[in-house]
Amino acid sequence: MSISDSDSSSHVGESKTFRQITRDRLLYEMLRSTKTKESKSTWKVLIMDKVTVKIMSYACKMADITEEGVSLVEDLYKRRQPLPSMDAIYFIQPTRENIVMFMSDMSGRSPLYKKAFVFFSSSAQKELVAPIRRDASVMGRLSALSEMNLEYFAIDSQGFVTDHERALEELFGENAEMSQNYNTCINTMATRIATVFASLREFPYVRYRAAKTIDASTLMTLRDLIPTKLAAAVWNCLSRHKSSIADFPQTETCELLIIDRSIDQIAPIIHEWTYDAMCHDLLLMDGNKYVHEVPGKNGSSTEKKEVLLEEHDPVWLELRHAHIGEASEKLHDKMTNFMSKNKAAQIHGRGGGELSTRDLQKIVQALPQYSDQIDKLSLHVEIAGKINNMIREQQLRDIGNLEQDLVFGKAGTTELINFFRTNHNTSRENKLRILMIYAALYPEKFESDKGNKLMQLAGISDDDMIAVNNMRCLMAAQDTKKSSSGFKKLTFEMHKKKPTIREEKEGEEQKKWTQFRFYPIMEDLLEKLSKGNLPREEYPCMNDPSPSFHSTPVSTPQRTTNSAPHVPAVSVRSRRGGGGTWARPRNSDDGYSSDSVLRHASSDFRKMGQRIFVFIIGGATRSELRVVHKLSSKLQREIILGSSSLDDPHTFITKIKMLSQDISLEDLQI
């Protein structure tokens, strides 16, 4: 009763992104495999738990599921109507509670469904499955019992999360190592990371950020060992996959780098100026959902409409990683281009001057044949307009310049004090974000009354002071003291370190947009990893690569004995599916021409070198997601970013506040 691959053979050879590969496994390898000869045309019920329904929703649309013969989707834990004439597909986690629920559904004289196809999202322990095998009534109704090994959430064509929203609190918070959640979080995270490699049939060379050097004068906490512990747990899971999955590689095919949020505390806080990041930072969206008003059916009143800013939208796909200024310019050019090519649109726009969003909506109604094209353009014109207004109202250009001057060592305490004295209208959150950046760069300045005076000058609340103080808990071993305000604060006097001043990079984007200077530390780490220059003493490996891993003869740069082996630019293995090169589309000047952007976005990766996976414990940012897309093209290697969560600045600040003991969500001013 194993999963059949026969239906997915037609997809071999196509170039696919990471999310597409995930989607295909769910639709073809799981759902389509249930179309047995005796029930080829029978509609089925799909039953999932809270985790697997999220896995499915990130990768597939309801229409995709329906097309594979599913007529009804049910929650495992909700009361369900018996459908004894229908077969059921269970996609569930292999937990004791889930198996009890399944047994309750399918045992006895009156089962809820005729037959059951059971697919576990990760490896199932034998003792958990044993009750199923012992029950004759259940076994007689069981058509499949398989492990999908797919328990991650594909949030992007090159990104996934393990859905551990409280990883910072459970792993880095005060006394986190004393909590039962510490090991549970690491083990579940490792299981889900390992299923990524099971899905892609990849066996990684596992590297991780090492704990800081230990000597007689320093102490180590479990916080320092988090990447080491996760790497070991991932390695254990992968070792089991090698022996239990039939076609799992036995030698290394790719690289995995495990790091944590301590490598770059600034990336989640700083204002990131791309269209994507600005949308999620300023518009307070619910995930990728944007709500806007459109004319009602009667043409006069308006109604609210929800849209998803995702990769199926070619305008979003093209502009999401562009600077907001560049995105605005391109949207204006696209609309001008559309108007010049469509006489009817010109007639409706004869008033002169810039077209408002309402003007665009009227054109949509007048030109139904162009409604989809203008809908997408008008949506993004509206969003970009909102963002630009907020940038002006909140004086974000001045804030952004100060943030980046601090990061690159061109501003310090004097500039910070002058800013707070002269910018009284700056919002509380923006002042807090500037102080958090400063605390990440100069933690020692907050170990005396100087830090408190600086926070008082900024006018932030006691609640916000907790966030500033807690920034340092991502740095080193802790000693808990009481601050002058009465709150517990985390001090880190044992591991003094110099501020990490980034070196500015020169490029066309940086020259054109002064706020585009910032880049995440992860960018440098990935470039060093790809070139074989990542220091082994700082980033050791769990396994030495097999000789065949780098068997292709290539010209490699000179490197020290402490560096990792260089990975050739050309893959030594064939790949069933690839990802996107993210090259600029040649013929997308109108921005909406028949999937042109989407087609180019999933260009062939098969000629690229081995994949690189990077996993960030404690939350990734949209700037880091942008980096993996940019570097995939630059380094000619498909890079996939994983993390415990994907955070916007507001969410990350809340999580930082939760690191203090005795602080709950009810106590926070959010």
Side-chain angles (χ1 to χ4, degrees), residues 169-221:
E169 179 189 354
E170 292 177 352
L171 300 179
F172 294 89
E174 286 191 28
N175 299 327
E177 57 264 41
M178 305 294 290
S179 168
Q180 292 181 343
N181 294 332
Y182 183 92
N183 285 327
T184 301
C185 181
I186 285 180
N187 291 334
T188 307
M189 205 180 289
T191 297
R192 292 179 180 176
I193 293 169
T195 66
V196 171
F197 297 99
S199 276
L200 298 180
R201 295 301 190 262
E202 294 268 27
F203 177 41
Y205 173 55
V206 182
R207 297 187 68 174
Y208 57 95
R209 183 192 65 76
K212 296 173 178 63
T213 304
I214 301 301
D215 56 41
S217 64
T218 60
L219 298 175
M220 177 191 288
T221 67

Side-chain angles (χ1 to χ4, degrees), residues 138-399:
V138 172
M139 286 300 293
R141 297 161 185 148
L142 194 63
S143 294
L145 184 63
S146 305
E147 294 173 345
M148 278 299 291
N149 279 310
L150 201 163
E151 200 173 290
Y152 56 86
F153 309 84
I155 58 169
D156 183 83
S157 58
Q158 289 178 236
F160 72 93
V161 295
T162 59
D163 199 32
H164 287 89
E165 290 290 339
R166 302 186 70 171
L168 268 182
E169 179 189 354
E170 292 177 352
L171 300 179
F172 294 89
E174 286 191 28
N175 299 327
E177 57 264 41
M178 305 294 290
S179 168
Q180 292 181 343
N181 294 332
Y182 183 92
N183 285 327
T184 301
C185 181
I186 285 180
N187 291 334
T188 307
M189 205 180 289
T191 297
R192 292 179 180 176
I193 293 169
T195 66
V196 171
F197 297 99
S199 276
L200 298 180
R201 295 301 190 262
E202 294 268 27
F203 177 41
Y205 173 55
V206 182
R207 297 187 68 174
Y208 57 95
R209 183 192 65 76
K212 296 173 178 63
T213 304
I214 301 301
D215 56 41
S217 64
T218 60
L219 298 175
M220 177 191 288
T221 67
L222 287 183
R223 182 184 298 119
D224 298 302
L225 289 168
I226 290 169
T228 308
K229 290 175 74 69
L230 181 61
V234 170
W235 177 249
N236 287 338
C237 292
L238 292 171
S239 298
R240 290 195 293 270
H241 287 339
K242 282 182 71 176
S243 59
S244 62
I245 298 177
D247 55 348
F248 196 80
Q250 298 300 299
T251 57
E252 292 80 2
T253 60
C254 62
E255 294 185 89
L256 166 64
L257 176 63
I258 296 175
I259 53 182
D260 61 47
R261 196 63 271 167
S262 69
I263 64 147
D264 191 351
Q265 305 99 297
I266 295 173
I269 298 299
I270 197 168
H271 283 87
E272 170 72 10
W273 287 77
T274 62
Y275 184 39
D276 179 9
M278 281 276 174
C279 284
H280 289 85
D281 188 354
L282 301 182
L283 302 182
L284 299 178
M285 294 165 49
D286 178 12
N288 290 334
K289 188 190 300 177
Y290 175 74
V291 180
H292 68 133
E293 291 188 349
V294 297
K297 293 180 181 179
N298 57 13
S300 56
S301 61
T302 60
E303 57 186 37
K304 290 187 176 181
K305 180 180 179 182
E306 292 182 355
V307 291
L308 294 176
L309 301 182
E310 292 185 336
E311 292 169 341
H312 59 76
D313 178 350
V315 180
W316 171 256
L317 191 63
E318 181 184 357
L319 299 181
R320 60 178 176 167
H321 294 149
H323 187 282
I324 181 61
E326 182 182 355
S328 300
E329 290 175 359
K330 286 189 173 182
L331 284 168
H332 179 270
D333 292 344
K334 290 176 188 297
M335 187 56 70
T336 302
N337 185 42
F338 176 82
M339 295 289 289
S340 66
K341 289 181 178 179
N342 295 276
K343 292 182 179 180
Q346 293 173 25
I347 294 171
H348 285 271
R350 277 179 180 170
E354 294 290 330
L355 285 171
S356 68
T357 301
R358 185 164 290 278
D359 292 332
L360 296 172
Q361 291 167 347
K362 288 179 180 177
I363 294 174
V364 171
Q365 291 178 328
L367 304 171
Q369 67 271 33
Y370 299 116
S371 62
D372 187 53
Q373 300 167 12
I374 308 174
D375 263 346
K376 284 186 171 63
L377 281 178
S378 62
L379 168 69
H380 292 288
V381 168
E382 175 189 328
I383 293 173
K386 271 189 181 180
I387 291 172
N388 283 314
N389 286 337
M390 295 179 78
I391 289 171
R392 284 191 294 271
E393 291 167 3
Q394 299 182 28
Q395 298 179 312
L396 289 184
R397 287 186 178 86
D398 292 338
I399 293 170

Side-chain angles (χ1 to χ4, degrees), residues 15 22 28 42 58 93 111 114 121 144 189 205 230 294 301 331 366 494 517 547 575 629 631 640:
S15 174
T22 304
Y28 309 132
T42 304
Y58 272 112
Q93 288 183 284
K114 184 179 180 181
S121 56
M189 205 180 289
Y205 173 55
L230 181 61
V294 297
S301 61
L331 284 168
M494 287 178 283
R517 292 173 289 159
R575 185 177 296 171
H629 286 283
L631 289 186
I640 295 173

